Amino acid sequence: IAMIVKLIGASLILIVCTVIGFEISSRYRQRPKQIRQFRTALQALEAEIMFGHIPLKEASIRLSKQLPSPINQFFDHFSRLLDISDIQVKTAWNNSLENITGFTDLKKSDIEILSQFGETLGKHDRYQQQKQIKLTMAHLEREEDEALDLQGKYEKMVKNLGFLIGLLIIILLI
């Protein structure tokens, strides 16, 4: 019976460590994907502003219906905050960023780029706004390239490391 308990314990340790490794590695996979989704959202926002002449609130509602989670939650929250008459656009934008920060795998630098964009949102004419969107998209593209590089370097290693740490713990406990 003692041997069975040890085997079950060792199996649980190995499974937990492996799952932790896979969970951490998924963050390396999700970050470039989420940055790309924000870039797509900004392209759509640009089209709505430039060609559709759609108000920001309406464009945000449309984006919240088109984009996957958690990016759609950002635009849903943003559009709901824009319903409040005395709230500034930048305040609503930053509040929405804070609202989804825990649900994304974006780094502080990614959030900072989006926050800086929020500072300019709604303050300029359409053509200046388009320039700000393009500048933000360029910054996000740079961040996406960095995220893809980190994913390539660390994703597989972290998966293997979780498994190997589990084995190490088992060996130390035996």
Side-chain angles (χ1 to χ4, degrees):
I1 288 206
M3 188 59 144
I4 293 174
V5 171
K6 284 183 180 181
L7 283 174
I8 291 172
S11 297
L12 287 175
I13 289 171
L14 192 60
I15 290 169
V16 168
C17 288
T18 302
V19 167
I20 290 171
F22 272 77
E23 181 62 31
I24 293 170
S25 77
S26 79
R27 293 175 187 233
Y28 284 106
R29 187 174 49 259
Q30 291 300 318
R31 180 175 171 233
K33 184 177 174 183
Q34 291 171 356
I35 293 171
R36 195 172 317 110
Q37 290 168 351
F38 259 111
R39 286 181 52 217
T40 301
L42 290 177
Q43 284 176 325
L45 188 62
E46 176 186 18
E48 298 283 3
I49 290 170
M50 294 303 294
F51 308 114
H53 304 284
I54 305 289
L56 195 54
K57 179 184 160 206
E58 180 64 32
S60 297
I61 291 170
R62 288 181 183 188
L63 288 172
S64 73
K65 292 176 182 174
Q66 296 170 359
L67 295 167
S69 185
I71 311 305
N72 67 341
Q73 294 170 6
F74 168 82
F75 284 100
D76 180 58
H77 190 260
F78 181 58
S79 66
R80 283 189 280 121
L81 286 178
L82 290 176
D83 272 338
I84 302 170
S85 60
D86 62 340
I87 195 166
Q88 292 182 336
V89 173
K90 73 175 186 176
T91 305
W93 183 269
N94 286 329
N95 187 298
S96 298
L97 278 175
E98 289 173 18
N99 186 53
I100 66 154
T101 299
F103 304 107
T104 67
D105 293 304
L106 299 175
K107 288 176 62 176
K108 190 174 184 173
S109 58
D110 309 327
I111 298 293
E112 183 60 34
I113 290 168
L114 292 166
S115 179
Q116 288 173 0
F117 171 71
E119 295 290 324
T120 67
L121 193 59
K123 289 186 177 179
H124 302 289
D125 65 20
R126 290 183 307 136
Y127 297 101
Q128 282 299 106
Q129 194 65 66
Q130 182 182 34
K131 288 179 184 177
Q132 291 298 324
I133 290 171
K134 289 192 182 300
L135 178 64
T136 302
M137 287 173 50
H139 287 304
L140 287 176
E141 184 176 4
R142 186 189 70 236
E143 290 295 315
E144 183 182 355
D145 290 343
E146 176 203 321
L148 287 168
D149 186 46
L150 290 174
Q151 178 186 0
K153 287 181 182 177
Y154 298 119
E155 183 181 19
K156 189 173 181 180
M157 181 191 70
V158 171
K159 285 179 186 177
N160 292 332
L161 197 57
F163 177 78
L164 293 173
I165 287 173
L167 282 179
L168 178 64
I169 292 170
I170 293 169
I171 291 170
L172 292 174
L173 291 176
I174 291 179

